[in-house]
Amino acid sequence: MTLLGIIAILAGFTLLIVIHELGHYFAARWAGIRADGFAVGMGPTALSWRRGVGLVAGSTDRIVRARHGRSAIELSDEELRRHGIGETEWSLRWLPIGGFVKMLGQEDLRPTGNDASERSYASVGVGKRMVVVSAGVIANAVLAVILFMIAFLVGVRFPAPVIGDTFVGLPAATASASNAAALGVADPGLLPGDRVLTIDGSPARTFDDLMIAAAMSPPNTPLALAVERPGVDGPLEFTILPAVDPISNLLSIGVAPASSTRLDDHAQSLAFLEPALSQTGLGAAGVKPGMELTALDGALVSTWEEFDRLVRRAEGRPVMTRWENPDAPGAAPIEVPLVARPALDALVIPGAAGEPGVQDRELGLLGLTPRARIESVPADSDNRDRLRAGDIVIRAGDLVHPRAVELRRSFMARPRQSVAMVVLRDGVEVEVRASLNRRGQMGVVLGYDLDHAVISRPVDRLVAAGDQVVPSPIADAALIPGSRIDAVDTTSIATWADLRQALRQATAEAASSKSSATVTLTVTAPTPGAVASQVEMALSAADVERLHALGWGTPLGASLFEPVMVRLSADGNPLRAIGMGFTETHKLIVMTYLTIYRLMQRTVGVEQLRGPVGIVHLGSQVVDQGWAYLVLFLAMISINLAVLNFLPLPIVDGGLFLYLVYEKVKGRAPPAGFQNAATLVGLCLLAGIFLVTFYNDVMRLFG
């Protein structure tokens, strides 16, 4: 969040407010209503200008009163003309929240007040007052169309509707295409590289369309997806019921966008990317965030999936990577070898008794899992002075040598608490006290210690094919967490890569004959003076097959690269840009009302709402992506401002419009008591919404 970004977004907000209030102002002038004030912001007046008085600090009223004995609002039109004073005071208020047009005889906090003057708000017809009340909303909607048109004339890039990965435990991971067999597709599930063509029959233009469709879907209502897959003649048809994502608390099908080969250089990604570049040796060779991988062993690559496939095919052989800087076309490319890492198994661990359907997934081998290690500590982490990159977790609270997922689960149950920890730092155990945020997170990047063949708490039970829970191969060994594995049969080992290789060598004959095997582990317990002991591990034929099916993993994950992008553009055609602007405006109006409806259905949580602080924070990040994104963002906020202002709530324009509808039908305004009570309720409601969203915003900033 940069100062320039904050200034830009605040200026944009000011524009939206000014346009909204100008809508009211010009409509009032058209209706013949006297406009005594036009204010941006709330509270005391900081600066004001009035024709005949000029620019002054504070309100111009004190000068008018000093000259003519009365304030401007107390002077008649004729007196204002005779003294050469403008009827409207244009002011900037100290509190940068909203704005208003002060019309004669109309006050939000005194809705039953009126004025007998023919230029009073109450003196003009109901139809004209309806135009005045709704003019601000119309102005914001028109502005949104114009801003969208400008953005689409330039062109704006979004993540493409292409699948990059599916998340375990969410519906997409187990989805199947209903017409897979008819199209001759062997793997009916969603795969990396699949492009979503339509969602419930509507075109999917961006990956955000898919995310929003899932989040806004009615409860217990599946999404129908048409998916294009390279090499398949015709779209695959999926029906997927969204489920609540435990991270976002929104309905989701559980997919991530496909990644390109350009390293992500956004600030929020650097905490993950920089350690990866360092560990692979790419950083030392000059590879930096924002650079693009263009070739692997001379073969051109354009997506992360291609990169991953070629690395896996090398089966551990170093591959030569070529990196170029797209922002410096003349710079010489960097060529540096990259070694794939041997893939560990994704152990599926059942939940405890009483938690049916709950599963965890942990990296490991045959029930053995590495120790949790802190990969990096971002500069904005609350634990930046307590924890360091490379710290290995020995103890956290009551957990000794916990598995990574086990550690996360324990912390999530203790939000906003501090936890006593012991970490291994440079070979020495160090006591620290880590603080957890409101989500029960340490604010660090957690990974695995693969450099030492030391185990965390072993896994006794595993989920096998068909969701059957079976004992793990190591279940009867009674290994102590923190034990070091020194050898497999007669082969000495030091790292997890060594352990995997030794296990595969020891079971090579069993793999060929598809039979079971028994291997002997030499293990040293984590106690002073402990001597090595031997433990036998019986492997079934399925265990052996699974062990030998493990391939190689790409040392740079897809999340470290920018998504594959698609450009939404009118291609310089103004008429097409106008059409796209109207389409996007209509879509967002419907989406905003739908969001409010989903809030009432509780499929969208209150914690998802943002207030002024959160919008400024988000907007300042958008500014970093370019001015076209800022224009697009302001168009979206303008639509939200229009919709929220026209809700049927007291105080806002929609509530005032309902009063006028009542007056038109009944021939009289609503009773004074009702209007006063409704005004009080409206104020309390708006104050409550402000407090909730402000709390959410602050927690996002500091959590």
Side-chain angles (χ1 to χ4, degrees), residues 330-355:
I334 296 174
E335 294 196 349
V336 56
L338 181 68
V339 179
R341 63 186 179 197
L344 299 184
D345 200 1
L347 306 178
V348 181
I349 307 171
E355 294 182 312

Side-chain angles (χ1 to χ4, degrees), residues 171-206:
T174 55
S176 295
S178 59
N179 61 340
L183 293 174
V185 176
D187 191 337
L190 277 172
L191 297 178
D194 285 352
R195 177 179 287 271
V196 180
L197 300 177
T198 63
I199 307 167
D200 288 339
S202 299
R205 300 183 303 166
T206 70

Side-chain angles (χ1 to χ4, degrees), residues 354-377:
E355 294 182 312
V358 176
Q359 295 180 354
D360 285 331
R361 182 164 290 203
E362 190 73 87
L363 285 184
L365 292 168
L366 306 169
L368 303 171
T369 59
R371 295 178 296 183
R373 180 174 70 184
I374 294 170
E375 299 295 341
S376 68
V377 183

